[in-house]
């Protein structure tokens, strides 16, 4: 099928490249000319494992093209995915300006049937608004009184990709959710995903939009739940890792997303929880549970910094090294990364900050001042009074801790992800602190 994807960020680009990989002809569209020029050369502007190889392959076999304009890029397409950003406004609402602009441009340049699919995470009812916008901006020649002479459909197809494993997630989805209002739209969407043979959930547009909100909020709730348990564990001398293990064997609960730590970050959970709270409020329901989920997440960073301040006594003029910066491993994404808040809070107290991350340093440079970036974990350890494990990159697992210890002023490690729980760092002479665990 000929498909256009408007917006070449994480979601749009991964969707575009993967749809080409499963046999479709895809045009990725973005207003950012630098990005499009890079993509044309096969260069991926973000770090996402496996994406570069598939991009180059599908450019070479002629299934991928790129454009700056919706008018040119979507002319031939039967299906157009909208995958533009939906940032949070100050009040937590999703800002849908880009979605509206795209819907308008699609309408103005339409010459034949189009299936317009929302891929961005949007509040319920957005599908309806997109359809209204297209109706409003369709050129006059396609109107006969109140009737339109050009047919189109709007559908919702939320994405559930995780950064760092987005290609893998796309190719092996747990389910594909489609919200449709016509048989034709359903048929086309089934056709698009047919090569993946996924479990399909077919429903109306509002339900599809809610599935996305409910899924992300539920996962965020799971994380905040275990983080709340971790606080109680600390008070009672219990071990959150054992609690999570014991809970996780119950199939109804499951072990995934029960990792206590410095909380969730990224471009999705914080924004989506905010947006769902606002959406519920507007619909007349006060989602207090989610407000608490958000608060617990904020508190985790505060209590981590408090732990550091307690144990270090004075942080002023101490050198603190952050091992990891990205909001999670295998990405260079720094959006809502806990590391940024931690850096700012410790700098406010007069600490000197050093940092190392395999992919996240260029983006962090633009968001911070006064941070010394290191070339590897050993360089980071040099002269540090303590280290903070912030992002659990696999390559940090088997570091030479003797070497790290020697390089540091004092071997103190605060493990924000309980990543080294099995390393017995205390036996190696480290003062070691995890989250929600009994003191060593
Ligand atoms: C998430 C959803 O998983 C995905 O389905 C949706 O499409 C987009 O949002 P993503 O933000 O890429 O994906 O990352 P994810 O792996 O879900 O992690 C989100 C955050 O939660 C990270 O900061 C991670 O460190 C944190 N997390 C995750 C925990 O603190 N504990 C856990 O047990 C799991």
């Amino acid at each position: 099928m000929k498909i256009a994807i408007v917006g070449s960020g994480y979601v749009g680009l991964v969707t575009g490249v993967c749809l080409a990989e499963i046999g479709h002809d895809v045009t990725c569209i973005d207003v950012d000319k630098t990005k499009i020029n890079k993509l044309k050369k096969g260069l991926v502007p973000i770090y996402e494992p496996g994406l570069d190889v598939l991009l180059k392959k599908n450019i070479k076999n002629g299934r991928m093209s790129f454009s700056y304009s919706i008018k040119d890029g979507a002319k031939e397409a039967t299906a157009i995915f909208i995958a533009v950003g939906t940032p949070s406004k100050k009040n937590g609402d999703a800002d849908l300006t880009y979605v509206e602009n795209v819907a308008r441009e699609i309408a103005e340049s339409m010459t034949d049937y189009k299936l317009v699919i929302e891929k961005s995470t949007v509040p319920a009812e957005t599908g309806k608004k997109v359809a209204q916008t297209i109706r409003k901006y369709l050129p006059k020649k396609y109107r006969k009184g109140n009737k339109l002479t050009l047919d189109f459909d709007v559908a919702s197809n939320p994405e559930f990709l995780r950064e760092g494993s987005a290609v893998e997630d796309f190719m092996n989805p747990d389910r594909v959710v489609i919200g449709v209002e016509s048989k034709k739209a359903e048929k086309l969407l089934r056709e698009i995903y047919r090569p993946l043979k996924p479990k399909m959930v077919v429903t109306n547009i509002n339900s599809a939009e809610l599935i996305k909100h409910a899924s992300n909020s539920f996962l965020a709730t799971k994380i905040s739940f275990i983080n709340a348990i971790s606080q109680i564990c600390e008070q009672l001398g219990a071990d959150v890792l054992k609690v999570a293990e014991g809970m996780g064997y119950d199939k109804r609960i499951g072990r995934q997303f029960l990792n206590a730590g410095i909380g969730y970050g990224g471009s999705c959970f914080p924004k989506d929880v905010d947006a769902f709270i606002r959406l519920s409020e507007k619909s007349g329901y006060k989602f207090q549970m989610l407000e608490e989920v958000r608060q617990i997440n904020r508190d985790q960073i505060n209590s981590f910094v408090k732990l550091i301040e307690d144990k270090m006594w004075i942080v002023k003029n101490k050198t603190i090294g952050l091992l990891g910066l990205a909001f999670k491993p295998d990405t260079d994404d720094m959006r809502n990364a806990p590391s940024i808040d931690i850096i700012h809070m410790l700098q406010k107290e007069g600490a000197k900050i050093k940092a190392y991350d395999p992919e996240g340093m260029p983006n962090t440079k633009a968001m911070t001042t006064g941070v010394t970036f290191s070339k590897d974990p050993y360089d980071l350890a040099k002269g540090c009074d303590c280290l903070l494990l912030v992002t659990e990159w696999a390559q940090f697992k088997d570091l030479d801790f003797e070497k790290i210890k020697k390089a540091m002023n004092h071997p103190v490690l605060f493990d924000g992800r309980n990543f080294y729980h099995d390393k017995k760092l205390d036996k190696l002479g480290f003062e070691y602190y995890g989250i929600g665990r009994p003191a060593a």
Side-chain angles (χ1 to χ4, degrees):
M1 196 181 301
K2 290 202 183 319
I3 295 174
I5 318 267
V6 188
S8 300
Y10 276 102
V11 174
L13 194 57
V14 173
T15 304
V17 171
C18 292
L19 286 175
E21 177 66 17
I22 61 171
H24 300 293
D25 277 334
V26 177
T27 305
C28 284
I29 304 168
D30 203 290
V31 284
D32 182 341
K33 292 197 175 170
T34 324
K35 194 187 270 181
I36 291 295
N37 288 335
K38 263 189 168 179
L39 286 169
K40 279 183 179 165
K41 291 184 204 144
L43 300 172
V44 180
I46 49 168
Y47 176 75
E48 186 59 48
L51 193 59
D52 50 349
V53 176
L54 291 191
L55 174 72
K56 286 200 183 85
K57 178 179 160 197
N58 285 287
I59 293 177
K60 207 163 166 199
N61 66 22
R63 285 211 290 260
M64 284 218 78
S65 54
F66 303 91
S67 175
Y68 322 120
S69 109
I70 293 179
K71 189 161 179 265
D72 299 336
K75 195 160 58 191
E76 309 259 297
T78 308
I80 308 173
F81 284 88
I82 304 182
V84 292
T86 52
S88 292
K89 290 194 214 167
K90 276 214 171 70
N91 64 4
D93 278 344
D95 180 351
L96 300 176
T97 315
Y98 301 130
V99 176
E100 192 206 24
N101 286 347
V102 170
R104 201 193 64 229
E105 272 191 63
I106 291 173
E108 287 170 350
S109 52
M110 246 166 84
T111 52
D112 57 359
Y113 171 86
K114 302 282 181 212
L115 169 62
V116 179
I117 307 156
E118 330 154 341
K119 195 78 177 150
S120 314
T121 301
V122 290
E125 302 268 278
T126 305
K128 216 180 281 131
K129 299 269 195 255
V130 168
Q132 279 167 3
T133 307
I134 296 178
R135 247 175 247 123
K136 189 161 141 196
Y137 288 98
L138 260 188
K140 274 205 185 90
K141 59 182 172 187
Y142 300 122
R143 298 169 189 282
K144 257 200 183 131
N146 277 340
K147 284 228 154 59
L148 300 179
T149 57
L150 191 58
D151 194 18
F152 74 92
D153 275 305
V154 171
S156 163
N157 170 220
E159 59 80 19
F160 300 99
L161 309 176
R162 289 165 302 171
E163 289 181 21
S165 54
V167 173
E168 174 70 22
D169 287 350
F170 188 97
M171 294 300 185
N172 303 289
D174 289 339
R175 78 301 206 189
V176 166
V177 173
I178 59 172
V180 287
E181 318 266 273
S182 81
K183 279 277 161 223
K184 185 169 180 178
E186 178 182 338
K187 190 164 165 268
L188 285 171
L189 271 156
R190 281 188 184 277
E191 182 62 24
I192 290 172
Y193 285 104
R194 194 173 42 84
L196 297 174
K197 301 190 181 75
K199 200 174 278 168
M200 301 283 282
V201 179
V202 182
T203 178
N204 61 26
I205 295 180
N206 277 357
S207 305
E209 290 165 341
L210 267 182
I211 288 170
K212 169 75 187 189
H213 277 300
S215 302
N216 272 2
S217 297
F218 189 81
L219 291 170
T221 303
K222 245 186 132 175
I223 298 170
S224 280
F225 185 86
I226 200 68
N227 280 333
I229 299 286
S230 80
Q231 295 288 339
I232 305 170
C233 285
E234 273 171 28
Q235 298 308 318
L236 300 183
D239 183 350
V240 75
L241 284 172
K242 283 289 165 199
V243 177
E245 185 188 344
M247 290 167 68
Y249 286 127
D250 186 328
K251 287 194 192 67
R252 294 167 303 173
I253 299 174
R255 176 63 182 83
Q256 288 187 62
F257 280 71
L258 285 183
N259 294 321
I262 46 180
Y264 58 78
S267 65
C268 289
F269 287 170
K271 178 168 77 80
D272 291 356
V273 168
D274 279 356
F276 204 21
I277 290 172
R278 286 287 295 163
L279 172 66
S280 317
E281 204 171 287
K282 281 187 185 163
S283 74
Y285 178 72
K286 192 164 163 48
F287 211 147
Q288 274 168 305
M289 189 173 84
L290 272 191
E291 288 174 14
E292 202 51 42
V293 164
R294 177 169 65 182
Q295 190 55 47
I296 291 169
N297 197 54
R298 286 183 189 144
D299 291 345
Q300 282 306 105
I301 292 184
N302 295 338
S303 75
F304 187 59
V305 171
K306 191 168 169 294
L307 175 74
I308 297 162
E309 288 174 353
D310 280 356
K311 301 296 176 190
M312 300 297 291
W313 190 30
I314 307 289
V315 297
K316 193 171 175 187
N317 292 327
K318 299 255 166 74
T319 303
I320 299 182
L322 275 77
L323 199 47
L325 294 163
F327 85 97
K328 63 181 242 182
D330 293 318
T331 179
D332 60 351
D333 199 342
M334 292 301 304
R335 285 175 287 178
N336 291 303
S339 59
I340 299 294
D341 284 340
I342 293 170
I343 289 173
H344 288 150
M345 288 162 86
L346 292 171
Q347 279 181 331
K348 212 168 150 210
E349 293 303 316
K352 292 180 197 149
I353 303 293
K354 291 180 75 179
Y356 172 73
D357 187 284
E359 298 294 334
M361 292 196 288
N363 288 338
T364 310
K365 277 180 192 158
M367 299 164 83
T368 54
T369 49
V371 176
T372 308
F373 293 94
S374 306
K375 64 176 196 300
D376 58 40
Y378 305 102
D379 183 35
L380 173 77
K382 274 185 207 150
C384 277
D385 294 290
C386 69
L387 284 180
L388 319 181
L389 186 282
V390 175
T391 316
E392 67 280 30
W393 284 88
Q395 61 257 58
F396 292 167
K397 190 75 186 184
D398 293 311
L399 295 175
D400 179 346
F401 283 101
E402 280 297 344
K403 201 169 157 187
I404 298 254
K405 194 172 89 178
K406 277 201 189 113
M408 295 178 73
N409 285 347
H410 302 283
V412 184
L413 200 147
F414 295 91
D415 185 350
R417 301 280 179 193
N418 288 333
F419 187 52
Y420 297 125
H421 69 93
D422 53 352
K423 286 275 169 211
K424 309 234 179 307
L425 289 182
D426 49 322
K427 300 247 154 44
L428 280 177
F430 277 84
E431 203 180 311
Y432 172 80
Y433 302 100
I435 304 272
R437 314 213 47 225

